[in-house]
Amino acid sequence: MITSYCPDLVLLDLGLPDMDGMSILKQVRQWTNIPILVVSARDREREKVEAFDLGADDYITKPFGTSELLARIRTALRHGRGTAEMGLKPSGSFEVGELSIDFDAIYTGYLASTEQIETVLSVIDTLSTDDTLLFVDPAMADNGVLYPAFDATYVAAMRRLCATADILLPNITEACLLTDRPYRETYDEAYVEDLMNALHGLGARTVVLTGVGFSPDETGVMISESGEQSYYR
């Protein structure tokens, strides 16, 4: 039934007449990341732990109020949005049938809305492992001005995405917006160094600051990694 109707969420009662709910939970979790909310009269800790270990997203014991159930459903749907529809599993792999793809790196550039940023964050959380390199280009501004489609809320969401980056690739304007630094048309190395340190403070291991020029006739790239900075033009 689940494969036929593709629901947004499964509400699973463990006390089924013809099959143990734990067995269903185990089987469903083998092929989909759809949110599963367990409802049961079984209130022993051992059974709750077993359900969570098998892949349940939440567990609510009977009797319960309708308001609490609806609140838990809303929470499960929020957590599952962006991954359940795409067949993503929390294993660092994208799986379709017998095909499994592991990602060595994830690169993200222009994102049109905060909703898309949230989707990317969810994908990163699902598909990345400790060995996955995360590249983030926070394409949202230039020449001292935020793009017209964006606002402060978007910048705040982008800042959270940048915090996940192994390699962050902003221009000068984007760096200023992300770090709440004033934008300058002309600047010196101390100004750029302060920007780079602030970007590292967001969480990025390596910062590649583009559009850097210390004179009118040059434009280059400043790279900061492992405490060292290098300028290329």
Side-chain angles (χ1 to χ4, degrees):
M1 182 178 293
I2 295 174
T3 56
S4 299
Y5 290 96
C6 298
D8 294 321
L9 176 142
V10 172
L11 198 62
L12 177 63
D13 193 325
L14 297 183
L16 300 174
D18 54 351
M19 189 174 185
D20 180 57
M22 292 291 190
S23 299
I24 294 179
L25 175 58
K26 182 178 181 179
Q27 291 178 19
V28 171
R29 189 51 82 221
Q30 288 177 346
W31 61 270
T32 181
N33 194 40
I34 188 173
I36 300 175
L37 173 55
V38 171
V39 296
S40 178
R42 307 175 191 177
D43 58 0
R44 289 180 295 181
E45 181 180 9
R46 177 179 59 82
E47 289 168 321
K48 293 179 182 180
V49 170
E50 181 183 2
F52 283 121
D53 285 343
L54 288 175
D57 293 280
D58 201 356
Y59 192 113
I60 183 171
T61 55
K62 302 176 184 179
F64 49 80
T66 302
S67 296
E68 180 184 2
L69 176 61
L70 291 175
R72 289 176 181 266
I73 289 174
R74 289 193 296 269
T75 299
L77 288 173
R78 283 198 303 270
H79 290 169
R81 188 178 299 127
T83 58
E85 306 91 8
M86 294 184 287
L88 305 182
K89 297 188 68 178
S91 61
S93 300
F94 179 82
E95 299 184 0
V96 180
E98 297 182 357
L99 176 65
S100 179
I101 303 173
D102 297 314
F103 289 83
D104 295 321
I106 297 174
Y107 182 100
T108 178
Y110 181 86
L111 298 169
S113 65
T114 56
E115 289 78 10
Q116 289 188 5
I117 293 176
E118 293 298 330
T119 297
V120 170
L121 285 167
S122 181
V123 170
I124 288 174
D125 184 60
T126 303
L127 291 180
S128 65
T129 67
D130 291 339
D131 297 323
T132 306
L133 277 177
L134 303 177
F135 295 79
V136 177
D137 180 356
M140 61 179 178
D142 203 1
N143 297 318
V145 180
L146 190 66
Y147 293 157
F150 303 142
D151 56 17
T153 301
Y154 181 92
V155 174
M158 180 58 74
R159 191 176 290 120
R160 290 194 294 112
L161 177 59
C162 291
T164 70
D166 293 303
I167 302 176
L168 183 60
L169 303 100
N171 60 32
I172 293 284
T173 302
E174 291 155 353
C176 290
L177 289 167
L178 290 169
T179 62
D180 292 322
R181 262 52 175 188
Y183 173 78
R184 297 179 185 173
E185 291 285 348
T186 59
Y187 43 80
D188 55 16
E189 292 186 13
Y191 174 80
V192 173
E193 183 177 356
D194 177 64
L195 278 178
M196 304 284 267
N197 290 334
L199 290 168
H200 282 301
L202 292 178
R205 289 192 316 184
T206 300
V207 176
V208 181
L209 188 62
T210 64
V212 179
F214 297 108
S215 64
D217 59 346
E218 71 174 23
T219 301
V221 175
M222 182 73 81
I223 300 176
S224 177
E225 182 178 27
S226 302
E228 298 184 1
Q229 296 183 359
S230 304
Y231 181 60
Y232 301 90
R233 63 177 183 271

